[in-house]
Amino acid sequence: MQQLTTIALTAFSGFAKHVQATSTANGTMGNTMESVQWGSCEPFGYPNTTLSCGLFEVPLDYHDPSAGNGRIAVIKANATGEREGTFFFNPGGPGGSGLDSLVEGDFYTILLNFTGGNYDVVSWDPRGVGAFSIPGEVHCFGSLEEYNTFFNGTIEPTGIEIYGNFTDETDLRNLYAQAETMEQKYRAVGRMCAEHAEGKHLQYVGTAATARDMVALADALEGPEKPINYYGISYGTFLGSWFRVGKVIFDGVLDPIAFGEKEIAIGWNKPALHDADRLYEAFITGCALAGPQGCAITTEGQTPLDLHASFQAVLKTAHDAAVRDPTVPYTSGILRDLLYATLYWPTQWATVTDEAMPAIFSQVAQEAQGLANTTKAKRADTELRSLLRRAENETRSYTTSAVFCADSVDSTGTLNMTNLFAHVVESSRAVSHMFGAFWPFHTYYCNYWPARAVERYTGPFNKTLANPLLVIGNTYDPVTPYGGAKALADALGESAALVRLNGLGHTTIPSPSACIQGIVDAYITNGTVSRSLCAPSAGRRHGVRGGGQLRDLARGHDADDPGEHDRQRAAILSCAAAGLMMILTHLTDTDTDTDSDICLILLYH
């Protein structure tokens, strides 16, 4: 899934100090701490000839040279216009690969356009990420098979079985019956992580160190003490809270204040899942409004409540089958996991509802009869995870846990698995009926994690900044709610401008907006910031233009090109959801752009 901040960057003015470099050779992909020797990305596994890659050496501990050095893998897309500097990009996670993010789907071209084309776009694999950075990817098991064997028979691989909002006594008894076993398992995982190859580096994997790495990299590329231009999404906004400010854009804000006040193991659910059920409702409503022409899992004439009832029936079937046989391919916990991941990318909703979900629902129906086909189920699951960019590695990575837990406040020693289960139950009842019982999640390991970072920062986050920030939040985001962006902008006052996109999904990336782009262009060009309300540009996003074309599509006239038909199906579903958002928030014409109005034409003609 996965998901997730903000900034009081001058609060960490020490991060503005240049890191004293010492030169070291590193072979054909080498570098020194004073520079990056750019070369081909092919040795890093990326044949793209447009991009450049290299390695950059960093101290493991910026306050203790005796700890030795590490390194980070770096990637760059050159400016397409007259170069004015560098924009650094972090894709979130924590644990997201900067190298992967720029390469996948040629995302670097989107970033170059987003930043105006006059800046190099640079990203990197932070500590704990990928095969080239040191510390490298954090693993605690030797293989995925070892992981599966270790947790066999527990809720770790299957998720928590609930129906409704966790009031059924049998479901509660079944969960709490696993408390002692899971307590022992998680303590054992903590020991295994400490003993694994990267265990000696766990104290150096944290946001403070990564922020210092970026400052050192910026000093090497642009010169010491220059302000840093930065675009961070999800967790990348949290990272952005810790360095000096140039032109800084946050998109999908994780509230740093909330995360700095309590143990993160119990501090994640409530703020992160605040709007998750609302997004599920938008998904269901958009699907019902689109009808079977735009959403294959609905039927003609179904209302949103009808489709919601159908979804709940599938979850109940999976729940009952898993209670009888925990080895079934699709438990209700797994289905909630997959559905939650689906909410991140509304642009994929039509494809998911057309291709993956019908096959999964069919498998669930067979489970109820004891006829589940594991091979078909695995194929459908793999297809869905591929669509959602959630492919499994050869073994499970614990990098996200390593960073979250390294940054967490110290454990009080009073939290145990029973307390954690009680927190999950409360979250399910009070915050998100659909996803409050999500399990496992990376932060749940933090009470048992063997290390905290040698350097952490917990605030304050309300300093007056040298340059104002642009803080962007979606109205409905499944993991970084709009409230996080608003809280940060309110805390920073005149040092931040809050921009709200009446869109759906995680960050604004799934819902490109001409309004947002105009605000970003003005900010990057002349530093202009203003609080604004925007809408997605749904027609342009899906390559479907013109009210007449959409009206014909709504009446059932298909394009001759099958590929265009697929794009139009996606437009129907996303426009349905976008139209729903516009109705719910009572937007005026001055709040929207032309293509969003076209979505309304689609819905009501």
Side-chain angles (χ1 to χ4, degrees):
M1 107 176 165
Q2 297 119 346
Q3 12 349 342
L4 299 227
T5 220
T6 57
I7 191 166
L9 304 192
T10 54
F12 233 20
S13 59
F15 279 39
K17 304 302 181 185
H18 178 56
V19 179
Q20 183 65 36
T22 56
S23 300
T24 306
N26 270 311
T28 59
M29 295 184 294
N31 79 290
T32 71
M33 287 176 65
E34 296 171 339
S35 66
V36 178
Q37 296 180 9
W38 298 109
S40 169
C41 289
E42 189 168 357
F44 295 82
Y46 307 101
N48 188 307
T49 57
T50 305
L51 303 171
S52 301
C53 293
L55 295 173
F56 184 70
E57 191 168 296
V58 294
L60 285 174
D61 185 340
Y62 280 87
H63 302 287
D64 181 10
S66 68
N69 292 332
R71 70 185 185 194
I72 53 176
V74 189
I75 190 168
K76 178 180 68 168
N78 289 328
T80 55
E82 184 177 349
R83 185 182 183 279
E84 297 181 16
T86 297
F87 246 95
F88 293 89
F89 172 72
N90 182 277
S97 166
L99 274 64
D100 284 348
S101 68
L102 259 63
V103 173
E104 285 184 2
D106 291 338
F107 186 60
Y108 69 92
T109 61
I110 295 175
L111 291 175
L112 287 171
N113 291 333
F114 187 73
T115 55
N118 294 326
Y119 293 84
D120 295 341
V121 173
V122 171
S123 193
W124 71 103
D125 281 0
R127 301 171 182 226
V129 177
F132 297 97
S133 292
I134 298 175
E137 198 81 27
V138 178
H139 296 295
C140 305
F141 293 91
S143 66
L144 191 57
E145 181 181 10
E146 181 184 347
Y147 167 82
N148 289 334
T149 299
F150 181 82
F151 280 113
N152 184 43
T154 72
I155 60 173
E156 196 76 0
T158 64
I160 296 173
E161 289 306 306
I162 70 166
Y163 182 69
N165 63 341
F166 232 146
T167 56
D168 182 84
E169 290 298 327
T170 300
D171 288 341
L172 289 167
R173 283 196 301 271
N174 289 341
L175 174 63
Y176 284 110
Q178 292 217 17
E180 181 59 32
T181 297
M182 293 301 291
E183 178 85 16
Q184 295 174 6
K185 293 286 187 183
Y186 270 42
R187 289 191 183 280
V189 168
R191 293 192 295 269
M192 293 162 65
C193 295
E195 295 167 358
H196 212 268
E198 292 298 336
K200 62 184 178 181
H201 290 146
L202 292 179
Q203 62 184 323
Y204 306 121
V205 176
T207 301
T210 295
R212 287 191 181 276
D213 290 348
M214 182 169 63
V215 171
L217 181 61
D219 288 347
L221 297 180
E222 296 295 326
E225 303 301 331
K226 289 188 177 180
I228 297 173
N229 303 316
Y230 177 76
Y231 175 39
I233 63 174
S234 193
Y235 161 80
T237 64
F238 189 65
L239 169 63
S241 302
W242 299 29
F243 60 86
R244 64 179 182 262
V245 183
K247 295 172 181 176
V248 176
I249 304 167
F250 287 162
D251 186 352
V253 176
L254 183 68
D255 186 349
I257 302 169
F259 275 73
E261 292 178 344
K262 60 177 64 176
E263 292 184 59
I264 198 170
I266 58 172
W268 173 79
N269 294 58
K270 292 182 179 179
L273 296 176
H274 183 271
D275 292 331
D277 282 8
R278 304 293 81 75
L279 193 59
Y280 162 75
E281 291 164 6
F283 169 75
I284 290 295
T285 304
C287 187
L289 288 174
Q293 184 182 15
C295 180
I297 60 172
T298 191
T299 58
E300 198 69 48
Q302 267 196 324
T303 67
L305 287 177
D306 294 334
L307 186 56
H308 168 67
S310 297
F311 254 87
Q312 295 306 307
V314 172
L315 289 172
K316 182 65 163 61
T317 300
H319 167 277
D320 293 348
V323 170
R324 291 191 301 270
D325 177 9
T327 67
V328 296
Y330 289 111
T331 67
S332 69
I334 290 174
L335 290 184
R336 291 171 191 271
D337 176 8
L338 295 175
L339 179 59
Y340 182 68
T342 299
L343 301 182
Y344 277 51
W345 295 95
T347 50
Q348 296 285 351
W349 284 0
T351 304
V352 168
T353 56
D354 186 39
E355 298 177 9
M357 282 189 174
I360 291 173
F361 289 0
S362 175
Q363 286 298 309
V364 171
Q366 292 185 49
E367 289 177 3
Q369 304 173 43
L371 301 173
N373 186 313
T374 303
T375 301
K376 288 184 178 179
K378 184 175 182 180
R379 185 183 305 123
D381 182 71
T382 300
E383 290 174 355
L384 179 56
R385 290 178 184 272
S386 176
L387 288 170
L388 301 174
R389 308 178 185 183
R390 298 181 68 249
E392 297 288 346
N393 296 321
E394 292 181 1
T395 187
R396 188 186 190 284
S397 169
Y398 279 84
T399 289
T400 302
S401 292
V403 177
F404 272 138
C405 300
D407 290 343
S408 177
V409 299
D410 291 334
S411 172
T412 61
T414 60
L415 183 65
N416 58 30
M417 193 60 67
T418 299
N419 303 142
L420 187 53
F421 284 174
H423 178 75
V424 169
V425 171
E426 181 187 1
S427 297
S428 180
R429 291 175 176 174
V431 180
S432 172
H433 296 339
M434 284 295 295
F435 308 110
F438 182 87
W439 192 283
F441 189 68
H442 313 282
T443 60
Y444 295 156
Y445 281 95
C446 292
N447 191 51
Y448 311 96
W449 199 250
R452 293 292 188 264
V454 294
E455 182 179 14
R456 288 173 282 172
Y457 183 68
T458 57
F461 293 98
N462 60 349
K463 298 290 186 178
T464 299
L465 306 179
N467 299 300
L469 314 179
L470 198 57
V471 181
I472 307 173
N474 259 1
T475 295
Y476 286 147
D477 186 309
V479 68
T480 52
Y482 173 74
K486 187 176 186 304
L488 175 66
D490 288 347
L492 290 173
E494 296 299 318
S495 292
L498 177 65
V499 178
R500 175 176 175 176
L501 177 69
N502 272 309
L504 307 169
H506 183 37
T507 77
T508 64
I509 291 174
S511 302
S513 165
C515 174
I516 293 287
Q517 185 63 61
I519 291 169
V520 170
D521 289 346
Y523 175 60
I524 291 177
T525 302
N526 54 36
T528 301
V529 294
S530 61
R531 296 199 170 207
S532 304
L533 178 65
C534 291
S537 302
R540 281 192 296 274
R541 177 171 73 249
H542 298 290
V544 181
R545 299 177 183 272
Q549 184 180 18
L550 288 173
R551 283 194 296 271
D552 289 342
L553 180 59
R555 296 188 184 105
H557 298 292
D558 297 339
D560 293 332
D561 175 16
E564 181 64 15
H565 174 62
D566 290 341
R567 290 189 289 274
Q568 291 170 341
R569 283 174 52 79
I572 292 175
L573 183 55
S574 289
C575 280
L580 170 68
M581 283 300 305
M582 295 170 70
I583 295 168
L584 292 178
T585 52
H586 306 290
L587 301 183
T588 66
D589 290 340
T590 57
D591 294 324
T592 64
D593 54 35
T594 301
D595 284 337
S596 293
D597 293 333
I598 289 175
C599 278
L600 287 181
I601 293 173
L602 168 65
L603 286 174
Y604 299 111
H605 289 76

